[in-house]
Amino acid sequence: MPRGFNANEKEFIRDKLLSAARELFSSLGLKKTSIKDLTGKAGIAQGTFYNFFESKEVIYFLLLEQDEKEIKQNVINKLMSKEITPSNFANVIYTTVKQIENYPLIRRLYTTEEYELLVRKLPNELLKEHSENDILSLNPLLDQWKNKGEVDANLSNEVVTSALRALFLMTIHKREIGEDVYDQSLQFLAEGIALRLFKGGENT
C-alpha cells in the first residue's frame, strides 16, 4: 500500500472503487468494463487499483456478495416476522424473486455470459466460500422449523435449496414462459414449494 495513504484514505479509495464498479458493471457489464474504466471513474491512478483488489472479477464478486447478503437478510427478516404458513412463505419467496429485477449485477449474472467469465478468473477459495454461503440456503431456519415440527422433517434441505434455485432461474426464461403469465406462474410454483414444505400445508 503506498505510504501516503492513512486508514481513512484507504477506506475512502476502496469505497470509491466499489461505487465506480457498481455503476459501470451495472451499465456495461463485466467484460466491457476495464481496470482503466474503474480507476478513471474513481479518480485514482490505474496502478493503485491493485493495492486494493486482485482483479476486476474480485471486485464484481464482492459487490454480488453485498447484494446477496442484503437479499438473504431481507428474506430471513420477513420470515421471522410472520406467522409461518405456506401462504406467507410463498409470498416472501415470490416477492424476493421479483425484487431480483432491482439488483442489476445479480440479474446480469443470470441473464448473460458473465457467470462463466467470473468463475474462470476468481480464486478457488472465493468460489468455495460462496458455495458454502448459498443465498438460497435457508438451512438455519429450516432446521429450526423442523425441530418445532412445523415443516416436513424428512425433506432434505438441499432439495429445498435446489427448488428455490429453480424458481429464481425462472427470471432467465421470462420470455419463453410468457410475459403475460409469468407472475402468475411464479406465484403458482412458489405456492407449490410452500405446500410441499410445510406440514398440513394443503389444509392451511
Side-chain angles (χ1 to χ4, degrees):
M1 191 69 63
R3 289 185 177 179
F5 295 157
N6 60 36
N8 288 336
E9 288 170 333
K10 292 173 187 176
E11 183 178 359
F12 176 77
I13 292 171
R14 189 177 188 278
D15 288 345
K16 287 276 287 182
L17 280 168
L18 286 169
S19 177
R22 183 173 291 283
E23 182 176 340
L24 290 171
F25 288 147
S26 296
S27 59
L28 300 177
L30 177 62
K31 186 175 183 179
K32 292 183 179 179
T33 300
S34 67
I35 301 295
K36 183 177 180 181
D37 293 331
L38 294 171
T39 53
K41 186 74 174 176
I44 64 172
Q46 189 171 345
T48 303
F49 177 90
Y50 295 99
N51 293 312
F52 292 87
F53 299 102
E54 181 180 334
S55 67
K56 67 176 185 177
E57 287 78 17
V58 167
I59 195 170
Y60 193 104
F61 177 82
L62 292 175
L63 291 170
L64 281 172
E65 282 206 319
Q66 286 180 3
D67 289 348
E68 290 184 351
K69 285 177 181 177
E70 180 176 296
I71 292 169
K72 187 166 187 175
Q73 193 58 55
N74 286 339
V75 170
I76 291 172
N77 289 344
K78 288 177 182 177
L79 291 174
M80 293 290 286
S81 67
K82 295 176 179 291
E83 178 187 359
I84 296 305
T85 67
S87 177
N88 285 340
F89 183 87
N91 285 335
V92 168
I93 298 305
Y94 169 80
T95 56
T96 300
V97 176
K98 291 289 291 177
Q99 286 170 357
I100 290 284
E101 298 172 5
N102 298 325
Y103 291 86
L105 298 187
I106 296 178
R107 188 177 69 244
R108 290 186 68 91
L109 205 66
Y110 279 127
T111 58
T112 70
E113 63 180 359
E114 292 191 355
Y115 178 78
E116 288 76 15
L117 294 173
L118 192 61
V119 296
R120 284 204 301 265
K121 297 290 185 70
L122 283 175
N124 288 332
E125 60 269 20
L126 278 183
L127 292 173
K128 181 180 179 182
E129 180 183 353
H130 186 257
S131 67
E132 292 172 351
N133 294 286
D134 194 328
I135 178 180
L136 300 173
S137 173
L138 301 176
N139 287 350
L141 273 180
L142 290 172
D143 290 339
Q144 178 181 326
W145 293 338
K146 285 179 180 181
N147 289 335
K148 291 181 177 179
E150 294 174 327
V151 303
D152 184 351
N154 296 316
L155 191 59
S156 162
N157 288 359
E158 288 72 23
V159 169
V160 176
T161 299
S162 295
L164 292 174
R165 184 176 296 110
L167 198 65
F168 273 67
L169 289 173
M170 283 181 64
T171 58
I172 302 175
H173 302 289
K174 190 172 183 177
R175 182 176 298 176
E176 294 96 317
I177 293 167
E179 295 191 13
D180 56 333
V181 295
Y182 172 78
D183 286 353
Q184 297 96 315
S185 300
L186 184 62
Q187 182 75 47
F188 183 85
L189 292 175
E191 290 171 356
I193 292 173
L195 288 171
R196 176 63 183 88
L197 178 61
F198 288 87
K199 281 189 170 184
E202 62 275 14
N203 298 318
T204 303

